[in-house]
Amino acid sequence: YRHWDHFTGAKRSHLFLATVETGAIRDLTPNDPHDVPPFALGGDGGFAISPDSRELAFTENLDEEPAISVSASIFPLDLTTPAAKPVKVSTSKGGNFSPAYSPDGKYLAWRSEERPGYEADKFRLFLYDRAAKTAKDLLPKFDNWVDEFVWAQDSRAIYFVSGNEGEAPIYQAALDGKVEKITEWAGEYSDLHPILSGKLVATKTLVKAPSEVYLVTYSFTPDKGEKFNAPGISITESVTTKAETWVTHINDDLIDQLDLPAMESFWFTAKDGTKLQGFLIRPPAFDPAKKYPVKFLIHGGPQGAWGNSWSYRWNPELFAANGYVVVMINPRGSTGYGQAIVDGVNGDWGGKPFTDLMAGLDYAEQHYPFIDKNREAALGASYGGFMANWILGHTDRFKCIVSHDGMFNPESAYGSTEEMWFNEWEFKGHPWDYYGKPDAENPFRKWSPMMSAKNFKTPTLVIHGQLDYRLDVSEGFQLFDT
């Protein structure tokens, strides 16, 4: 009855076909009780038209109750026959998104997740042969997410972006599954546009610069050159020449006025021996002889990551600007380090992710002598808000905490959210599944910040939005009142 930030009412989104020559408009999903395509925060629109305009493919979740499902499928529809019905071509039980036809019309590709109910399963690149009516995982050994992709103009390859260890480079996948890493420069790429063989236009963002347009050029020779490794796959790099040209300079005048320190990367060993990554940004006009307070930023998701990208929401450079060292850790649950790390937060919200964060901060304190470990603030939003609340009851090392849209009471959060599938996956079931069992065996209570209220001592700023229906404002009220 409500979703994200509004009450849904009786209306549903349908796909319509508008014929340019006549202006005729046709409802392609008449009498459909579902939103087509499903709700998404940006992206490609959830549909694609074949090169000959005779077929359209779209994403739809046919499950009766969208509040407990993320199982969207891919449906091509024959546009030449008004009586034609959509035919499902995806087979996975999880989410399937971003359909895209090859320019020659032979293939349909999309991003696919295997496990139902899990929005953060590995996003695989699926390839459907329209003539043979067969689909396959194009990159079965590639262990990071395919975040965005686009077809090469000759239909012989697909370009895609994949987050990896704080960066998001561009890769090329041939139709036989061979992967080439196109970019080697820092930053996160997106909005890919192949223009000619060996040329690609894309936007790129850095932690100290918002998006600008870049021209990437490259050429291949078979099986020569160095090797790059990504989780689960050895990538033979046969690009012999590559260059990047910075095309737009819209923000130069503003950026040039600012002292924006570089983001530094460090690796540390978690409590169980796992190698994890963290980042640090020094304040402007940095003086190594001084001691600086710390803002310890905790990312949301929980399946997300800090990296080399600009943000209009939580901007690390802005947090550092008034004289703080910013420390950011990618704990269990973070993307860009293989799916096992992503899955490491499931059912363990206050476990390894908490000890990972503390171990990462310990490492920073030990290896950066300008950190004043007696003046540290923890700040987090969404899952980061949950972790801020968890920290509140499990350590006194911080002088203050900022909890932004955080989960405080997982049982009540389940009863007030509009995306119940999320809580059911992350807390391994429904609250009533655990009634009568000890709290230690009940994830909704074992990982409840509320249950540690007797330990709360740290001054805390509570921020919450009235229109955050995924984590209702009542979670903020409960924390504040407690």
Side-chain angles (χ1 to χ4, degrees):
Y1 58 91
R2 66 178 189 171
H3 187 250
W4 202 254
D5 62 359
H6 64 279
F7 282 75
T8 55
K11 292 184 178 180
R12 297 293 177 265
S13 296
H14 283 204
L15 271 180
F16 289 81
L17 178 69
T19 303
V20 175
E21 291 84 355
T22 65
I25 296 177
R26 171 180 152 206
D27 186 348
L28 297 178
T29 54
N31 303 313
D32 196 327
H34 310 96
D35 282 317
V36 183
F39 171 82
L41 293 171
D44 49 35
F47 65 90
I49 299 175
S50 64
D52 60 9
S53 297
R54 297 173 61 86
E55 184 179 278
L56 177 141
F58 60 88
T59 302
E60 181 173 7
N61 185 350
L62 290 179
D63 287 355
E64 183 175 354
E65 182 47 73
I68 58 175
S69 171
V70 294
S71 297
S73 301
I74 303 296
F75 296 87
L77 173 64
D78 181 359
L79 297 178
T80 65
T81 306
K85 301 293 183 183
V87 179
K88 187 174 78 168
V89 294
S90 58
T91 58
S92 79
K93 296 180 180 179
N96 296 273
F97 308 98
S98 308
Y101 289 92
S102 59
D104 63 10
K106 293 181 179 180
Y107 301 98
L108 179 65
W110 63 83
R111 299 167 69 232
S112 176
E113 298 175 297
E114 179 61 34
R115 290 173 283 182
Y118 188 22
E119 71 165 345
D121 199 10
K122 186 176 78 167
F123 285 93
R124 305 169 297 168
L125 182 59
F126 254 66
L127 185 68
Y128 177 73
D129 186 318
R130 297 177 67 198
K133 300 188 184 318
T134 57
K136 67 177 181 179
D137 181 354
L138 187 60
L139 309 171
K141 295 182 179 180
F142 194 79
D143 199 23
N144 278 338
W145 292 2
V146 173
D147 294 325
E148 175 188 337
F149 74 91
V150 64
W151 280 93
Q153 289 185 335
D154 61 6
S155 300
R156 297 172 60 185
I158 294 174
Y159 300 100
F160 68 94
V161 174
S162 178
N164 186 48
E165 298 180 358
E167 308 286 350
I170 302 172
Y171 300 85
Q172 177 185 274
L175 299 191
D176 62 2
K178 182 180 180 181
V179 177
E180 309 279 1
K181 187 167 180 281
I182 299 292
T183 59
E184 59 182 354
W185 308 281
E188 294 194 0
Y189 294 83
S190 62
D191 201 12
L192 311 182
H193 296 272
I195 52 175
L196 293 169
S197 178
K199 291 186 178 182
L200 190 76
V201 172
T203 60
K204 185 176 78 167
T205 179
L206 301 160
V207 75
K208 57 182 183 177
S211 288
E212 297 281 8
V213 176
Y214 287 76
L215 174 66
V216 177
T217 58
Y218 54 91
S219 62
F220 293 108
T221 57
D223 301 324
K224 293 181 180 179
E226 54 190 328
K227 287 189 175 182
F228 293 84
N229 292 318
I233 188 169
S234 178
I235 303 171
T236 302
E237 178 59 276
S238 60
V239 177
T240 54
T241 61
K242 39 180 144 174
E244 180 178 72
T245 304
W246 189 357
V247 177
T248 61
H249 295 266
I250 295 171
N251 299 288
D252 285 8
D253 290 345
L254 271 174
I255 297 297
D256 289 345
Q257 299 175 36
L258 303 175
D259 180 357
L260 298 171
M263 185 175 73
E264 305 170 43
S265 168
F266 61 88
W267 291 82
F268 65 95
T269 303
K271 191 175 180 180
D272 65 351
T274 302
K275 297 293 184 181
L276 298 171
Q277 189 177 23
F279 304 96
L280 180 141
I281 295 179
R282 305 177 190 221
F286 174 75
D287 182 349
K290 292 183 179 179
K291 289 278 190 179
Y292 291 92
V294 169
K295 289 177 182 173
F296 186 60
L297 306 187
I298 308 167
H299 71 66
Q303 295 86 3
W306 296 116
N308 195 0
S309 65
W310 183 268
S311 173
Y312 294 96
R313 183 166 177 260
W314 279 55
N315 188 305
E317 296 280 5
L318 186 58
F319 277 113
N322 62 336
Y324 283 79
V325 171
V326 170
V327 177
M328 302 170 286
I329 305 297
N330 281 340
R332 236 64 64 104
S334 298
T335 57
Y337 305 91
Q339 192 62 32
I341 294 294
V342 176
D343 293 345
V345 70
N346 301 158
D348 193 34
W349 271 35
K352 289 186 179 67
F354 171 70
T355 58
D356 292 347
L357 289 166
M358 296 303 103
L361 183 55
D362 289 343
Y363 180 94
E365 291 174 352
Q366 294 161 9
H367 290 81
Y368 296 93
F370 48 83
I371 284 179
D372 184 349
K373 64 181 181 180
N374 296 312
R375 291 191 296 155
E376 296 177 333
L379 309 89
S382 193
Y383 173 79
F386 163 88
M387 184 54 70
N389 300 342
W390 186 260
I391 285 171
L392 181 58
H394 290 83
T395 178
D396 295 332
R397 72 187 293 174
F398 297 99
K399 287 297 184 184
C400 63
I401 294 172
V402 177
S403 174
H404 175 191
D405 286 20
M407 185 185 295
F408 177 67
N409 176 357
E411 285 183 305
S412 65
Y414 179 88
S416 57
T417 190
E418 33 66 277
E419 292 188 339
M420 301 166 75
W421 49 263
F422 177 83
N423 304 57
E424 290 175 6
W425 180 273
E426 296 296 338
F427 291 91
K428 304 301 181 184
H430 318 89
W432 55 86
D433 295 336
Y434 301 99
Y435 289 172
K437 296 182 180 180
D439 288 349
E441 298 177 13
N442 177 356
F444 287 89
R445 291 190 163 228
K446 181 180 181 180
W447 306 124
S448 173
M450 181 186 71
M451 302 298 284
S452 300
K454 64 181 180 180
N455 300 326
F456 292 178
K457 297 177 181 177
T458 308
T460 300
L461 174 63
V462 182
I463 306 173
H464 215 107
Q466 186 77 51
L467 295 180
D468 184 352
Y469 291 162
R470 194 170 198 186
L471 276 167
D472 189 76
V473 68
S474 57
E475 293 298 300
F477 292 155
Q478 290 181 73
L479 170 61
F480 186 85
D481 289 352
T482 300

